[in-house]
């Protein structure tokens, strides 16, 4: 029996869930390949800076962030206000609960961007990591939020 674990992004062919490691096991001359590690580790550990919401770039000078914590909470800046929510990561996907946040008012365009972000966040069904390392939070098969590690 030989097991080889490589720290390299691996996408499960059955569920589409990304994992931080590629695993190869050789038993009796037969080679089996799969994924290993916790998918949550791909989300946690650094703040993500959102660069697109629904395919549109953020307003110049605005800031939207995501910080996935090990306690299944996600928080950050939603444009004008700070937010917090719970997330659930299962073998099939990622779900983010309705966010709670502060209630400051900003100009209308910033408030609109914040509303679009929070709506997109609530529609997330899964996530993927792009070839360039960007986090894609997807609603079905289309990215709804794109972010990069700070």
């Amino acid at each position: 029996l030989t097991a080889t674990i490589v720290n390299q992004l691996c996408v499960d062919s059955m569920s589409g869930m990304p994992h931080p490691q590629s695993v190869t096991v050789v038993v009796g001359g037969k080679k089996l390949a799969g994924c290993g590690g916790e998918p949550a580790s791909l989300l946690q550990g650094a703040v993500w800076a959102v660069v697109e919401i629904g395919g549109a770039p953020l307003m110049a000078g605005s800031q939207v962030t995501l910080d996935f914590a090990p306690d299944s909470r996600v928080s950050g800046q939603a444009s004008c206000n700070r937010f917090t929510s719970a997330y659930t990561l299962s073998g099939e996907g990622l779900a983010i609960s309705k966010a709670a946040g502060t209630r400051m008012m900003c100009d209308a365009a910033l408030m609109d961007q914040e509303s679009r972000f929070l709506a997109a966040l609530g529609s997330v069904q899964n996530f993927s990591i792009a070839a360039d390392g960007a986090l894609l939070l997807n609603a079905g098969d289309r990215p709804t939020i794109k972010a990069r590690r700070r």
Side-chain angles (χ1 to χ4, degrees):
L1 171 74
T2 303
T4 305
I5 301 169
V6 178
N7 289 327
Q8 163 186 315
L9 185 65
C10 178
V11 177
D12 184 285
S13 61
M14 297 288 288
S15 68
M17 179 66 72
H19 294 263
Q21 298 160 332
S22 294
V23 179
T24 305
V25 177
V26 179
V27 178
K30 185 173 182 179
K31 184 176 178 180
L32 306 167
C35 300
E38 277 297 317
S41 69
L42 295 169
L43 297 171
Q44 300 165 359
V47 174
W48 295 90
V50 174
V51 295
E52 291 180 9
I53 302 167
L58 294 187
M59 292 173 47
S62 66
Q63 183 178 14
V64 180
T65 61
L66 295 159
D67 186 2
F68 290 89
D71 66 354
S72 297
R73 302 288 306 167
V74 60
S75 61
Q77 185 71 32
S79 284
C80 181
N81 291 285
R82 298 221 21 99
F83 77 94
T84 186
S85 183
Y87 70 91
T88 304
L89 189 58
S90 68
E92 289 77 43
L94 171 67
I96 300 175
S97 301
K98 183 173 177 154
T102 57
R103 298 182 57 100
M104 297 185 325
M105 292 299 293
C106 294
D107 69 48
L110 205 53
M111 293 303 293
D112 178 60
Q113 178 175 276
E114 181 169 294
S115 293
R116 288 186 297 108
F117 169 69
L118 293 174
L121 199 61
S123 71
V124 169
Q125 296 172 331
N126 59 64
F127 79 98
S128 56
I129 305 293
D132 66 359
L135 171 65
L136 303 175
L137 298 180
N138 306 306
D141 61 351
R142 63 179 170 76
T144 188
I145 296 171
K146 181 178 183 179
R148 299 194 180 283
R149 286 198 185 269
R150 278 191 171 171

